[in-house]
Amino acid sequence: PLRLRRRAFLTALQTIWIPAPTPLLSLAALALKLTKLTLLTLVGAPAYAFLTGSSSPSETARIKAWSIALDAQLVGGDPLVSRARLTLTLLASATLPATPARLMLQALHIRILFHNAPFPLSPTLAAHLARKKWSAARALQLITEALPASDTDVSAEPLPPHLLALLAQPAKAVFSDAAIKTAHALTYNTPPLPAEDRAIRSPLDVLAATFSTSTLHTALESSLLPSCSSSPTLSKLLSTALATAPPGSTPHLRVLTALALFHYSPTERGENLALALAEAAARDPPPETGPLAPKGLLLRTTTSAVEGDVKGVGRYRRLSAAELGARVRSVLRCFTHATG
């Protein structure tokens, strides 16, 4: 919820300093951050810590506070968010130790900062900078995987599987116009805001969910073509959508439902349907028991479809493109009503 995100941001402000949105204070803060970043780049982290006299505990607290503030700000936790404050926090993020997750977040931060910016060539510049950060995150992830566990930064949490899958995608595909608009709207708390989802906890989760949903839409559209209903391309799109969806989220549930339709093996279809129903039951309150209740309608519709297919293998193979499209829309419509 928004109140928790704002509470997290305000809690982080007890350790770090982000000025009020006044021109003089904002300019002073930007100059200070630029000076620190330049000094850190020139002399390196150890010498910078020695020159500034920062101790290990205070530096750890600073890193933790900035990490919380960055995550909270990019999901709408900053009630005074502005382009100046986003610039300040972007500069501050560059002073933190580099990790794949932080570099990915910086790429997203750049795209949000430059979205609708009144500068010439700002979209081109933003795409270039974000692509560089994304490539740096990939390279650092490869290095991290190659190093033994004892040599890695213990303070850096490893990327979860869905973010690893997202990092494997091209930056151009991840930072689509829809993804940037969604991230910008969430940061500024302006419509259209994405629906609240308890399984989505960070800006990168929002980015992964948006990419997964877009990939699923592409897969469903391609499935309506007679030549693509059973092609490797469709299978790859569905696999990518599943891999990049945050576990337990609505996009993850949608992909599982789609997989129950398109996998021609009765065993795989049954397994995916069982996973989807179990996940829906775990994330939702107990369903209504009436015969016309949305969850009951979902159970009857999807289960009957799968049971019929298990009894007659290849049933979906005989469906035309129009019939298959109608079946997909019908089941997903029931699913949407059931999950809210």
Side-chain angles (χ1 to χ4, degrees), residues 62-72 96 102 105:
R62 184 187 76 89
I63 293 172
K64 183 66 175 177
W66 272 114
S67 299
I68 294 173
L70 289 165
D71 275 351
L96 304 180
R102 290 190 185 118
L105 191 63

Side-chain angles (χ1 to χ4, degrees), residues 249-263:
S249 64
T250 298
H252 191 259
L253 197 52
R254 287 173 180 159
V255 180
L256 287 176
T257 306
L259 285 171
L261 289 173
F262 290 107
H263 272 189

Side-chain angles (χ1 to χ4, degrees), residues 42 55 64 77 112 114 118 121 166 206 245 255 263 271 274 277 323:
L42 291 176
S55 61
K64 183 66 175 177
I112 295 172
F114 283 92
L121 300 178
L166 183 69
V206 176
V255 180
H263 272 189
E271 289 176 353
L277 295 178
E323 291 171 332

